[in-house]
């Protein structure tokens, strides 16, 4: 039963950390919208530290689950926990999973904002270089690059 208590403790820590991460991601969105790069640097460090702690606890949780009889090839850990009748543990697992999904959605939103800002910066750079009306090529990842008269596409 010590493994179950340890797992509950780790999940409780995850939930608290994920709540903090949700707040960090919301602040990050605000900083991206306001172009506050100083605050963004601080938030990025906090976010990376939180993610590293969550990763370390994930490894510990897997070890504990394996010690309890879970086999990684047998499916989701939540199914194992539920089938074992550990309702309190399952509730914590589900809450942590819900928080993790919320973080994922917020992070995707922030990624879209960053993508938009990168495109805007590219357009501004093109205007400054005088290349705003020139044709564009697409790279391997779908990014646009301007073809200027100075760009060599091929040579014989």
């Amino acid at each position: 039963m010590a493994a179950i208590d340890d797992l509950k403790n780790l999940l409780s820590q995850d939930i608290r950390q994920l709540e903090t991460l949700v707040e960090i991601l919301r602040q990050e969105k605000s900083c991206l919208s306001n172009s506050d790069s100083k605050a963004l640097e601080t938030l990025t460090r906090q976010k990376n530290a939180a993610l590293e702690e969550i990763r370390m606890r994930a490894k510990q949780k897997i070890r504990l689950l394996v010690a309890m009889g879970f086999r990684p090839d047998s499916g989701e850990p939540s199914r194992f926990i539920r089938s074992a009748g550990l309702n309190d543990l399952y509730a914590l697992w589900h809450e942590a999973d819900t928080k993790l999904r919320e973080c994922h959605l917020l992070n995707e939103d922030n990624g879209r904002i960053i993508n938009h800002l990168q495109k805007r910066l590219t357009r501004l750079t093109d205007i400054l270089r005088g290349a705003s009306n020139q044709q564009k090529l697409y790279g391997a990842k779908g990014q646009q690059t301007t073809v200027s008269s100075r760009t060599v596409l091929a040579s014989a």
Side-chain angles (χ1 to χ4, degrees):
M1 289 303 163
I4 294 171
D5 292 335
D6 289 345
L7 199 50
K8 285 180 181 178
N9 183 36
L10 290 172
L11 286 168
S12 295
Q13 290 175 36
D14 276 353
I15 291 166
R16 285 191 300 275
Q17 189 111 49
L18 288 167
E19 287 170 351
T20 301
L21 190 56
V22 164
E23 185 56 36
I24 290 171
L25 290 167
R26 287 185 178 142
Q27 290 175 16
E28 183 181 59
K29 183 176 183 176
S30 175
C31 288
L32 287 168
S33 299
N34 297 324
S35 301
D36 187 355
S37 60
K38 291 283 186 196
L40 195 57
E41 284 181 45
T42 303
L43 290 172
T44 301
R45 281 193 295 276
Q46 291 174 357
K47 182 171 69 170
N48 288 337
L51 289 171
E52 185 58 33
E53 289 178 27
I54 290 168
R55 280 187 204 103
M56 290 179 66
R57 278 195 301 276
K59 291 175 186 175
Q60 293 173 333
K61 288 185 293 191
I62 292 297
R63 279 190 227 112
L64 288 170
L65 285 166
V66 168
M68 292 169 54
F70 172 70
R71 290 190 337 254
D73 62 344
S74 66
E76 300 265 333
S78 59
R79 285 182 45 203
F80 170 78
I81 293 168
R82 186 158 211 171
S83 67
L86 304 169
N87 295 332
D88 293 343
L89 187 59
Y90 179 77
L92 284 171
W93 190 278
H94 181 70
E95 185 178 354
D97 185 56
T98 302
K99 294 285 182 196
L100 184 62
R101 290 177 195 277
E102 182 180 2
C103 289
H104 180 72
L105 290 173
L106 289 168
N107 196 52
E108 281 183 339
D109 286 346
N110 290 350
R112 280 191 285 277
I113 292 170
I114 290 170
N115 189 30
H116 174 72
L117 291 171
Q118 287 174 333
K119 285 180 181 178
R120 189 171 79 180
L121 180 62
T122 300
R123 281 184 291 207
L124 290 171
T125 304
D126 286 348
I127 290 169
L128 289 173
R129 288 188 301 166
S132 63
N133 292 330
Q134 295 183 359
Q135 294 185 358
K136 307 222 187 275
L137 292 177
Y138 289 94
K141 295 183 179 178
Q143 75 278 11
Q144 289 184 351
T145 55
T146 303
V147 180
S148 69
S149 59
R150 294 179 209 103
T151 304
V152 177
L153 294 178
S155 63

